[in-house]
Amino acid sequence: MKIQAFFAQVREFFFPRGCALCGETLTGREETLYGLCDPCREEFNLFAEADGMDYCDRCGRPLISEIDRCLPCREQGERLCERTAVIYPYSGKYRKLLGEYKFGGNITLGLFLAEKLKEAYTRLLAADSGGAMGIGAVQSSPLLVPVPPRPGKWRKTGWDQVEYLARLLKREGLPVYRCLKRLPSLSQKKLNREERLRNLRDRFVLTRPAPPAVILFDDVITTGATLEACAGALKNAGTEKVYAICLFYD
Ligand SMILES: [Zn+2]
Ligand SMILES: [Zn+2]
């Protein structure tokens, strides 16, 4: 991390980019390392303390007046992906942050997002210390599996943003395990949940043996159809437990 911090400071000195959210000049080691000023970064500390909110035990979205589980999750019945942890709503400043990273080529932000994923991973495992989610029931600890992008999408944007996060997480010593390959399918954008589920059926294949427990990770969750398709491929191949972490929920 020291070398990264050094290069970040040199970069910011010669090619000042400023804070990705407010444009403020970046000073100091942490600010240049993450590409965000201290006050903006503070606003992303959702995970620092329990915030008094209740979250859906299935999809992770904040609950409004429901108890334990949100309405859509109640209606959709059983899922292959047993529990999803989400971090930020995909709107406002949060959406802007992902946009700067994904489309603005601000790769520095990847480090920040990878740290948030790591926090979520640690929390997910800690939440299961009582065995509530059944992760402990499986022999080995869950491996982090990145959700692969659609083949065409990668070429269009020039890089795979989730794969870059996977690289950073691996460097941090997390158990990253790439075992999924995605076959071509139609763009999901205009499809509803049912259509998405159909569109993605058998579109994910395993490239390596299926581990007993998996935590999938992706940048944005919309209907959850992608996670279901990944979970389906994994469970067909023998995985017992599938969980997921998504940085943003739509
Ligand atoms: Zn800022
Ligand atoms: Zn839910």
Side-chain angles (χ1 to χ4, degrees):
M1 202 59 99
K2 267 191 183 137
I3 290 199
Q4 273 178 309
F6 171 74
F7 281 116
Q9 278 183 310
V10 171
R11 182 212 67 226
E12 198 58 29
F13 180 80
F14 287 106
F15 308 99
R17 220 177 161 144
C19 170
L21 287 179
C22 71
E24 194 60 53
T25 308
L26 299 177
T27 53
R29 188 172 172 276
E30 300 253 287
E31 288 196 352
T32 50
L33 183 62
Y34 295 115
L36 290 167
C37 72
D38 286 339
C40 282
R41 220 168 60 243
E42 298 256 306
E43 292 186 43
F44 281 76
N45 274 344
L46 283 190
F47 263 107
E49 299 295 332
D51 50 15
M53 296 266 290
D54 284 326
Y55 297 92
C56 174
D57 66 7
R58 183 62 74 67
C59 73
R61 289 180 173 84
L63 297 173
I64 302 157
S65 57
E66 305 106 322
I67 297 164
D68 296 337
R69 194 165 287 184
C70 75
L71 218 56
C73 283
R74 281 169 200 267
E75 283 167 1
Q76 280 157 18
E78 284 312 300
R79 281 196 198 168
L80 298 169
C81 184
E82 277 135 275
R83 183 188 274 229
T84 307
V86 292
I87 310 183
Y88 303 115
Y90 192 47
S91 60
K93 57 181 182 250
Y94 306 110
R95 190 177 180 130
K96 185 176 176 193
L97 184 82
L98 187 66
E100 290 289 324
Y101 169 62
K102 262 175 115 158
F103 311 113
N106 192 340
I107 207 162
T108 314
L109 296 172
L111 199 62
F112 179 73
L113 294 173
E115 293 228 337
K116 295 295 158 192
L117 276 173
K118 190 179 170 185
E119 278 178 38
Y121 173 77
T122 313
R123 262 174 88 109
L124 198 61
L125 292 192
D128 190 50
S129 57
M133 298 191 308
I135 294 180
V138 201
Q139 290 296 308
S140 52
S141 59
L143 302 182
L144 273 166
V145 176
V147 170
R150 260 193 324 128
K153 193 183 163 200
W154 195 89
R155 278 192 295 277
K156 225 196 274 175
T157 50
W159 64 307
D160 177 357
Q161 305 90 6
V162 174
E163 168 52 31
Y164 182 65
L165 297 176
R167 259 168 35 205
L168 294 173
L169 290 170
K170 192 161 185 156
R171 203 160 65 194
E172 288 285 301
L174 270 72
V176 173
Y177 185 77
R178 300 171 183 86
C179 62
L180 287 175
K181 187 179 162 207
R182 190 168 182 159
L183 305 173
S185 59
L186 296 173
S187 168
Q188 300 272 86
K189 284 221 170 74
K190 296 201 174 75
L191 307 180
N192 67 28
R193 186 166 194 275
E194 293 310 311
E195 291 164 337
R196 286 178 188 221
L197 285 170
R198 222 173 305 133
N199 183 37
L200 289 175
R201 193 167 296 152
D202 302 326
R203 294 290 86 190
F204 289 90
V205 290
L206 266 84
T207 54
R208 295 167 74 183
V214 158
I215 298 180
L216 293 162
F217 70 95
D218 206 353
D219 50 2
V220 185
I221 179 171
T222 312
T223 64
T226 307
L227 295 177
E228 280 299 279
C230 291
L234 285 158
K235 287 197 161 174
N236 277 342
T239 298
E240 290 170 48
K241 296 279 175 191
V242 179
Y243 305 95
I245 300 172
C246 290
L247 282 165
F248 303 89
Y249 59 93
D250 204 358

